């Protein structure tokens, strides 16, 4: 790390468990990394290997700045062969490695290892194939999510997963995090739009994971946060642009009334393309950032979008509008055209980053609750906020109960980060208490590994680790993520060293 | 508070979301964090916390085009423009550049902002004869760096000969609606004099008395955007003085307009000039911005042509002027405007960038040229001389000759009912 460097927004927050990198690089102290750097330089085109501390430090964190560690070496491969060769070299030297796409992750999933290699896919950004008749495209992992859509939109197709970060996050990162977006309610997460992945396994083999007989390995891989291998080629599904889209913005006096509207809409059997809610504080931030012109004095706004065949949408839209008003909406605006729709969405999509306008620092939380528990959980968050004096702005995918509380604090005030961290953790407790989950779409990464035991028993966690060990027995592929207490695979209780008895007897097959 | 003292706060505004990456030209080219806005801000932060301004760090600041696409795309309102200006000033002050780089910079900054010296150089050969830099220049291979740019300007500029001298005052046609000052610029004035005459005519036809002060020189844009604040301030004071008597200053070169709008910030700690500088910034308008505010009065005649409109960074990102030029073009009968793919990404011209970072600049030029070709337009319209030069040169490398024009020239052709003829060199 840079002398005198103090992480900006984490005064006192838990920093990574990795040892400091001082003295590791460039001075012969870390022979395996030096040897690797040399091998990589021979393998990659000029500029493909980064070893000087100043440049390395720019990769020290992803979108979550509270965890930082300067990588030992950064490599910028340009092909699957490069990635495979890099992984094999790391295995030979027994050096850990971490994949990174665009570095927008919000759980520290791409947090580097000071004693390891960071494999950045930003130069693997070719769209290899577009096959419209079969509604699929084959892309390299560094391709930006929105670029897939941009390549096919003129033909009436798009790539459905739409995280708010879609203008910059990579498809590889989407696969790793199983990312979703506002439209997941109807269209599902990344997992539902990936047909197959070419993967460099932790052994350095290149394999294709797709649908087929046997275990659903693709299903295991998507969402594994880069711990089971690195995907080098992704076949994604392209979705037809719906015949029509209708968007409305409804302003409510309070979060509770907004929540009621959500329940009624879903209860009616309508599956909107999206139902998003923002509370007053989040509205204030968005307004400051992008002048989205949301109604003043709203306690909450709801963005509802319906899409599909013209007649169906028209019918349902009228019902949605009525339900909003019945639930207490004091203003309902319907987007007349794409420009107005874009303006409505602009406020919502900029909300996270926009909070920077109203608070020096903040934490983005991500939790899930059953939709019916919405009013209760929100009231509890309010109480938590009032009791602790920590402001919380709420933005959420209301349709599927995915909350994104934004916990605001001033990093210049001593202890503020700790208090924010505390409130943020308690919000997750609320989610688990109500039968929800500690993450909806941002992943566990390093940040939430410590919360895993709140949701899973030791047996659950051990079972998951066994799967991980099946892929990565040496534990070199993005180690230290997801699990609170990483174990060496050999030590995991109940793991057999030899083949499973059933396999040995020929009664079962090992895939 | 000076920008330098503000630095920690300005840096703190960045939440590391990465939204600025896709429109950053250097990130588009190389996919490296340290050549993205987020990475550069991180480097600045490292420096702020004590890391020295070493050559590795400086390289990434030098590689920034200053296109300000990151300012447009940042949802958190990070003022990258101020960050990079302060950083560049620090680099100039504290970083010892290698000799060759120093010589090149001395040559460029001793040449481009001075119209008379530029004039002396029309015809690259005279470069050797007149500057007295010849030996130093030859030794460092500088001429090879600078001369392609000069050569490109020569190619695009009308045949040698004295640039027509504009009168000090051009009277409004019809009833007078406003009195405006006009900046003639250095590169623009010397190599594209036709743009200035067109601008003056359009303003007059729209009912403006146009005042063109003789005493004006360089506005300081090149210096300001390269961290040479002292030099820029001197240019700024002179410009402020030259335009003391007009209500509005109309600028037709994007880079100049954006720097004049920054005078207030540049001179805010100067007790004598601060107020005047702020007032001048308030009174500065880009030509298109001004014409839309004024509203059309003169009749628009048809210009049957298909044009591609290019957003100059210093217009779109630095001044937020995007819709106005398009609106003006849309008013012209029989003119079709095509959009260029990835309009937010810089063409690589960026002031002195093509002189100091020729490779990156030409790669970006090639990308932009390819997008321009995709539009199948016959004429490229841009509001900055550097952009036109850069893109036309790149197009030529790809074997396409395309006419270029400034928005003012298209309007001029329309207002005067000349059709498309004057816009195409071969008169087609
Ligand atoms: C402002 C903002 C808004 C966001 N909004 C959303 C949202 O609405 N929905 C949502 O789901 N997420 C959201 N995110 C989170 C983030 O954008 C997503 O998780 C995204 O998918 C990460 O992509 P990335 O390319 O940045 O990956 P990175 O952050 O670089 O990496 C993320 C993880 O993927 C792994 N990885 C990267 N590439 C590969 C590969 N080729 N093979 C295997 N593993 C790989 C990394 O090791 C890491 O664990 C948001 C983030 C920000 C900053
Ligand atoms: S000014 Fe342009 S080149 Fe520089 S960091 Fe911003 S977007 Fe990139
Ligand atoms: S400059 Fe703005 S857009 Fe870029 S990373 Fe920082 S906050 Fe995000």
């Amino acid at each position: 790390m840079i002398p005198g460097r103090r992480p900006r927004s984490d005064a006192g927050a838990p920093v990574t468990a990795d040892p400091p990198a001082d003295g590791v690089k460039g001075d012969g102290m870390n022979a395996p990394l030096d040897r690797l750097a040399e091998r990589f330089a021979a393998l990659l085109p000029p500029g493909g290997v980064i070893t000087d501390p100043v440049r390395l430090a720019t990769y020290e964190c992803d979108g979550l700045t509270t965890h930082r560690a300067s990588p030992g070496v950064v490599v910028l491969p340009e092909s699957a062969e490069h990635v495979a060769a890099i992984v094999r070299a790391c295995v030979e030297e027994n050096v850990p490695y971490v994949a990174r796409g665009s570095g927008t992750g919000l759980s520290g999933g791409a947090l580097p290892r000071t004693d390891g290699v960071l494999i950045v896919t930003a130069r693997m950004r070719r769209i290899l194939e577009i096959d419209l008749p079969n509604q699929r495209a084959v892309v390299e992992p560094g391709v930006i999510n929105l670029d897939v859509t941009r390549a096919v939109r003129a033909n009436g197709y798009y790539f459905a997963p739409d995280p708010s970060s879609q203008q910059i996050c990579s498809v590889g990162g989407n696969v790793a995090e199983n990312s979703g977006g506002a439209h997941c309610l109807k269209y599902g997460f990344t997992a539902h739009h990936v047909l197959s992945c070419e993967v460099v396994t932790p052994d350095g083999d290149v394999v294709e994971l797709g649908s087929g007989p046997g275990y659903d390995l693709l299903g295991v891989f998507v969402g594994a946060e880069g711990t089971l291998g690195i995907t080098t080629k992704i076949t994604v599904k392209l979705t037809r642009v719906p015949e029509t889209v209708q968007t409305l913005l409804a302003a409510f006096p309070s979060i509770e009334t907004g929540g009621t509207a959500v329940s009624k809409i879903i209860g009616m059997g309508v599956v909107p393309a999206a139902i998003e809610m923002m509370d007053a504080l989040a509205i204030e931030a968005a307004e400051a950032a992008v002048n989205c012109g949301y109604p003043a004095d709203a306690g909450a706004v709801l963005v509802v979008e319906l899409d599909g065949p013209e007649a169906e949408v028209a019918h349902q839209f009228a019902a949605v509008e009525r339900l909003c008003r019945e639930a207490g909406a004091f203003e309902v605006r319907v987007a007349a055209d794409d420009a107005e729709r874009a303006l409505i969405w602009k406020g919502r999509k900029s909300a996270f980053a926009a909070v920077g306008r109203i608070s020096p620092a903040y934490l983005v939380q991500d939790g899930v609750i059953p939709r019916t528990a919405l009013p209760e959980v929100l009231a509890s968050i309010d109480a938590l906020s009032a009791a602790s004096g920590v402001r919380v702005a709420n933005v959420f995918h209301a349709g599927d109960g995915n909350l994104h509380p934004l916990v605001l604090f001033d990093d210049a005030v001593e202890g503020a980060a700790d208090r924010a961290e505390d409130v943020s953790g308690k919000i997750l407790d609320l989610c688990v208490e109500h039968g929800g989950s500690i993450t909806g779409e941002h992943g566990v990464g390093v940040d939430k590994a410590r919360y895993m035991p709140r949701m899973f028993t030791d047996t659950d966690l051990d079972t998951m680790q066994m799967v991980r060990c099946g892929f990565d027995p040496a534990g070199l592929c993005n180690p230290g993520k997801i699990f609170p207490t990483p174990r060496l695979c050999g030590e995991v209780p109940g793991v057999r060293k030899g083949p499973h008895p059933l396999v040995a007897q020929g009664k079962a097959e090992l895939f | 508070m000076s920008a330098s003292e503000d630095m920690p706060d300005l840096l703190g505004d960045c939440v590391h979301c990465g939204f600025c990456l896709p429109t950053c030209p250097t990130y588009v080219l190389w996919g490296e964090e340290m050549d993205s806005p987020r990475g550069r801000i991180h480097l600045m932060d490292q420096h702020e916390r004590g890391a020295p301004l070493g050559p590795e760090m400086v390289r990434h600041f030098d590689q920034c085009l200053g296109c300000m696409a990151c300012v447009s795309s940042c949802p958190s309102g990070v003022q990258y423009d101020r960050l990079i200006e302060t950083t560049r000033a620090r680099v100039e002050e504290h970083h010892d550049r290698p000799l060759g780089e120093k010589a090149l910079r001395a040559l460029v900054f001793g040449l481009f902002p001075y119209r008379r010296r530029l004039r002396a150089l029309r015809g690259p050969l005279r470069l050797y004869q007149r500057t007295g830099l010849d030996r130093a220049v030859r030794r460092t291979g500088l001429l090879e760096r600078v001369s392609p740019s000069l050569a490109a300007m020569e190619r695009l500029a009308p045949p040698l000969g004295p640039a027509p001298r504009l009168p000090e005052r051009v009277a409004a046609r019809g009833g007078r609606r406003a009195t405006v000052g006009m900046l003639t610029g250095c590169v623009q004035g010397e190599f594209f004099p036709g743009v200035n005459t067109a601008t003056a005519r359009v303003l007059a036809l729209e009912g403006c008395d146009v005042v063109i002060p003789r005493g004006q020189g360089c506005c300081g844009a090149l210096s300001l955007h390269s961290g040479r604040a002292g030099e820029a301030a001197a240019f700024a004071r002179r410009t402020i003085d030259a335009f003391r008597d007009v209500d509005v200053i109309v600028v037709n070169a994007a880079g100049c307009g954006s720097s004049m709008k920054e005078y207030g910030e540049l001179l805010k700690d100067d007790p004598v000039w601060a107020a005047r500088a702020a007032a001048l910034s308030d009174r500065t308008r880009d030509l298109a911005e001004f014409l839309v505010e004024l509203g059309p009065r003169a009749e628009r005649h048809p210009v049957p042509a298909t044009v591609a409109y290019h957003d100059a960074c210093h217009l779109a990102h630095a001044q937020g002027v995007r819709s106005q030029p398009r609106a003006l073009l849309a008013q012209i009968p029989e003119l079709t405007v095509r959009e260029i793919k990835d309009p937010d990404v810089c063409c690589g011209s960026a002031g002195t960038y093509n002189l100091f970072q020729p490779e990156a600049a030409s790669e970006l030029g090639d990308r932009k040229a390819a997008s321009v070709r995709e539009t199948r337009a016959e004429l490229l319209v841009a509001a900055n001389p550097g952009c036109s030069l850069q893109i036309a040169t790149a197009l030529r490398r790809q074997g396409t000759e395309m006419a270029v024009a400034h928005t003012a020239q298209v309007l001029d052709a329309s207002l005067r009912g000349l059709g498309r003829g004057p816009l195409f060199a071969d008169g087609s």
Side-chain angles (χ1 to χ4, degrees):
Chain A
M1 275 203 206
I2 301 310
R5 182 168 175 77
R6 181 181 48 80
R8 189 162 54 243
S9 47
D10 71 342
V15 187
T16 168
D18 282 344
D22 301 52
V24 169
K25 289 166 297 272
D27 51 13
M29 297 271 291
N30 193 317
L33 280 182
D34 288 348
R35 280 198 297 274
L36 282 175
E38 250 170 62
R39 286 172 74 174
F40 297 153
L43 173 76
L44 300 174
V49 186
I50 298 166
T51 53
D52 77 87
V54 165
R55 291 184 183 129
L56 287 173
T58 62
Y59 287 95
E60 68 179 2
C61 63
D62 57 11
L64 180 73
T65 56
T66 44
H67 300 266
R68 300 178 189 233
S70 230
V73 177
V74 169
V75 281
L76 295 153
E78 298 184 9
S79 66
E81 292 70 40
H82 284 164
V83 176
I86 292 163
V87 168
R88 279 197 296 269
C90 288
V91 173
E92 278 169 34
E93 292 284 1
N94 199 33
V95 163
Y97 55 89
V98 177
R100 171 175 164 126
S102 301
T104 69
L106 290 173
S107 55
L111 179 76
R113 297 271 301 203
T114 53
D115 58 346
V117 175
L118 187 71
I119 304 176
V120 180
T121 62
R123 288 189 180 167
M124 298 176 70
R125 48 185 167 183
R126 284 172 302 174
I127 295 180
L128 301 171
E129 194 187 321
I130 292 176
D131 176 2
L132 290 179
N134 292 305
Q135 293 192 211
R136 53 172 69 189
V138 183
V139 303
E140 290 189 325
V143 169
I144 288 171
N145 172 305
L146 193 59
D147 283 348
V148 181
T149 293
R150 297 213 298 171
V152 295
R153 190 155 43 197
N155 304 97
Y157 293 90
Y158 71 112
F159 179 49
D162 64 337
S164 315
S165 52
Q166 71 185 134
Q167 70 191 81
I168 176 60
C169 62
S170 71
V171 178
N174 296 164
V175 167
E177 299 291 349
N178 189 18
S179 295
H183 295 82
C184 285
L185 179 60
K186 181 166 176 182
Y187 293 98
F189 287 78
T190 302
H192 303 103
H193 300 273
V194 169
L195 298 168
S196 70
C197 285
E198 178 188 273
V199 173
V200 172
T201 68
D203 303 325
D205 295 334
V206 182
V207 300
E208 184 80 21
L209 304 182
S211 53
Y215 298 127
D216 179 13
L217 294 178
L218 180 63
V220 178
F221 186 82
V222 176
E225 305 191 9
T227 59
L228 305 182
I230 300 179
T231 177
T232 47
K233 203 191 278 177
I234 302 140
T235 306
V236 299
K237 201 187 317 180
L238 301 174
T239 306
R240 261 239 167 259
V241 173
E243 187 180 289
T244 183
V245 182
Q246 285 277 15
T247 310
L248 68 71
L249 178 80
F252 294 86
S254 65
I255 279 275
E256 288 73 25
T257 43
T260 312
V262 174
S263 293
K264 287 200 168 157
I265 292 168
I266 306 273
M268 190 182 83
V270 177
V271 183
I275 300 196
E276 301 283 302
M277 189 140 89
M278 289 164 71
D279 72 0
L281 209 48
I283 298 169
E284 183 189 326
E287 206 65 62
V290 295
N291 294 321
C292 45
Y294 286 1
D297 306 326
V301 294
L302 208 56
V303 176
V304 187
E305 189 158 286
L306 296 179
D307 66 8
E310 204 103 34
E312 180 188 315
V313 169
H315 172 74
Q316 293 183 341
F317 200 71
V320 167
E321 213 179 323
R322 181 174 46 80
L323 290 176
C324 282
R325 290 194 194 279
E326 281 173 14
F330 63 82
E331 188 174 337
V332 176
R333 287 186 198 163
V334 179
D337 53 31
D338 284 345
E340 285 188 28
R341 178 172 7 269
L343 193 64
I344 290 182
W345 275 113
K346 201 169 172 186
R348 166 61 188 89
K349 293 220 168 185
S350 70
F352 286 0
V355 169
R357 303 251 183 180
I358 58 163
S359 172
Y362 62 94
L363 301 171
V364 179
Q365 192 46 285
D366 167 43
V368 184
I369 51 168
R371 197 170 40 239
T372 45
L374 211 59
E376 210 180 319
V377 172
L378 288 172
S380 307
I381 293 179
D382 255 357
L384 207 58
S385 169
S388 61
V390 174
R391 293 193 301 165
V392 180
N394 279 295
V395 178
F396 40 99
H397 309 305
D400 44 16
N402 187 179
L403 306 183
H404 288 312
L406 301 156
V407 185
L408 316 188
F409 65 100
D410 183 347
D411 46 354
V413 175
E414 195 157 337
D418 289 340
R419 283 195 294 280
E421 190 71 36
D422 184 53
V423 167
S424 185
K426 286 189 173 139
I427 293 177
L428 289 187
D429 286 339
L430 281 173
C431 293
V432 176
E433 269 166 37
H434 286 83
S437 153
I438 59 167
T439 169
E441 54 188 18
H442 296 168
V444 179
V446 271
D447 192 43
K448 290 191 174 168
R450 62 207 143 110
Y451 298 121
M452 288 289 272
R454 301 195 190 174
M455 200 161 99
F456 298 106
T457 64
D458 284 351
T459 322
D460 292 339
L461 292 172
D462 278 343
T463 311
M464 292 183 216
Q465 295 230 46
M466 282 165 68
V467 174
R468 192 184 182 304
C469 289
F471 279 80
D472 179 25
L476 294 176
C477 186
N478 207 4
K481 310 291 165 69
I482 305 181
F483 300 104
T485 42
R487 299 180 191 185
L488 293 177
C489 290
E491 292 173 3
V492 176
V495 169
R496 273 168 279 262
K497 293 252 166 67
H500 191 277
L502 286 176
V503 177
Q505 291 163 29
K507 288 187 180 158
E509 235 180 300
L510 195 69
F511 290 95
Chain B
M1 222 196 282
S2 83
S4 223
E5 290 160 27
D6 270 357
M7 218 47 188
D9 279 345
L10 292 174
L11 289 167
D13 286 342
C14 172
V15 299
H16 218 77
C17 66
F19 277 30
C20 52
L21 270 57
T23 50
C24 173
T26 52
Y27 186 78
V28 169
L29 282 186
W30 305 312
E32 296 173 343
E33 188 68 23
M34 57 280 179
D35 275 313
S36 76
R38 183 175 65 178
R40 292 191 175 107
I41 292 169
H42 191 284
L43 291 172
M44 292 173 195
D45 196 44
Q46 289 188 38
H47 175 56
E48 191 66 25
R49 294 172 193 275
L53 268 177
E56 289 90 9
M57 208 185 255
V58 169
R59 187 175 124 200
H60 300 295
F61 297 143
D62 281 354
Q63 282 174 173
C64 166
L65 290 101
C67 68
M68 303 308 154
C70 49
V71 176
S72 298
S73 54
C74 175
S76 298
V78 170
Q79 299 176 51
Y80 183 85
D81 44 349
R82 294 183 59 197
L83 286 171
I84 191 72
E85 246 159 54
T86 306
T87 303
R88 291 211 155 121
R90 287 180 179 178
V91 169
E92 287 313 295
E93 202 178 325
H94 301 297
H95 177 62
D96 203 16
R97 293 184 182 278
L99 276 180
E101 260 179 53
K102 263 193 204 152
L104 178 61
R105 296 179 87 84
L107 178 64
V108 168
F109 291 108
L111 180 60
F112 284 79
Y114 301 95
R115 212 169 146 174
R116 249 176 300 129
R117 296 183 202 169
L118 271 177
R119 186 170 311 153
L121 284 173
R122 293 196 63 181
L125 263 183
R126 294 193 209 162
L127 178 71
Y128 275 93
Q129 300 155 0
R130 299 270 174 107
T131 55
L133 275 165
D134 54 348
R135 251 175 307 132
V137 165
R138 214 178 308 142
R139 213 181 30 243
T140 50
L142 292 183
L143 186 67
E144 283 66 41
R145 285 283 269 286
V146 178
S147 59
S149 308
L150 286 174
M153 290 187 195
E154 281 299 332
R155 261 202 312 275
L156 285 151
L160 270 176
R165 215 186 158 92
L166 286 163
E168 242 173 308
R169 200 175 185 96
V170 180
R173 304 289 174 80
R176 176 158 57 91
R177 294 201 283 167
T179 302
V180 304
M182 183 181 138
L183 183 91
T184 50
C186 6
V187 175
Q188 178 112 298
E190 201 43 46
F191 287 94
F192 298 93
V195 175
N196 283 337
T197 33
T199 303
R201 267 196 305 259
V202 168
L203 286 167
L205 286 167
E206 284 289 18
C208 303
D209 272 349
V210 186
V211 180
I212 307 164
R214 283 263 190 272
Q216 61 175 301
C218 174
C219 68
L222 289 187
S223 311
L224 179 62
H225 298 142
S226 309
R228 302 164 77 98
E231 204 172 273
F235 284 126
R237 292 191 193 99
R238 180 169 161 188
T239 309
I240 295 168
D241 200 48
F243 287 101
R244 62 188 174 272
D245 295 330
V246 290
D247 306 331
V248 182
I249 301 115
V250 173
V251 185
N252 59 14
C256 305
S258 82
S259 83
M260 289 170 66
K261 288 182 180 177
E262 284 175 65
Y263 282 178
E265 182 68 34
L266 176 70
L267 293 176
K268 72 173 173 200
D269 296 325
D270 181 328
V272 182
W273 289 85
R276 291 180 70 188
L280 183 124
S281 289
D282 284 348
R283 289 183 292 141
T284 301
R285 292 285 180 284
D286 174 70
L287 172 67
E289 191 181 18
F290 176 75
L291 288 176
V292 167
E293 278 175 22
L294 188 69
R297 190 180 70 184
E299 189 188 345
R300 267 71 177 153
H301 302 284
V303 177
T306 304
V307 308
Y309 177 75
H310 165 74
D311 278 307
C313 295
H314 278 115
L315 204 54
H317 300 307
Q319 302 184 56
V321 175
R322 294 184 185 83
S323 63
Q324 297 91 328
R326 290 178 169 83
L328 290 172
L329 293 172
Q331 289 163 0
I332 301 176
E334 295 178 35
L335 187 86
T336 309
V337 184
R338 297 256 166 89
E339 289 294 326
I340 301 168
K341 190 177 81 183
D342 296 328
D344 295 331
V345 179
C346 181
C347 66
S349 152
T352 52
Y353 196 79
N354 44 12
L355 301 171
F356 296 134
Q357 305 283 339
E359 282 157 32
S362 84
E363 253 184 86
L364 289 168
D366 286 343
R367 278 171 178 262
K368 186 61 79 180
S371 308
V372 169
R373 277 168 46 179
E374 272 176 33
T375 65
R376 297 178 175 278
E378 2 163 37
L379 178 73
L380 176 70
V381 179
N384 207 38
C387 301
S388 312
L389 276 170
Q390 165 80 355
I391 302 172
T393 309
L395 280 167
R396 178 170 296 131
R397 270 202 302 277
Q398 299 176 1
T400 304
E401 294 289 333
M402 192 186 277
V404 298
H406 188 286
T407 320
Q409 293 170 299
V410 183
L411 280 172
D412 184 41
S414 169
L415 262 53
R416 293 160 72 208
L418 300 176
R420 52 181 272 141
L423 301 172
F424 295 85
D426 58 4
S428 66

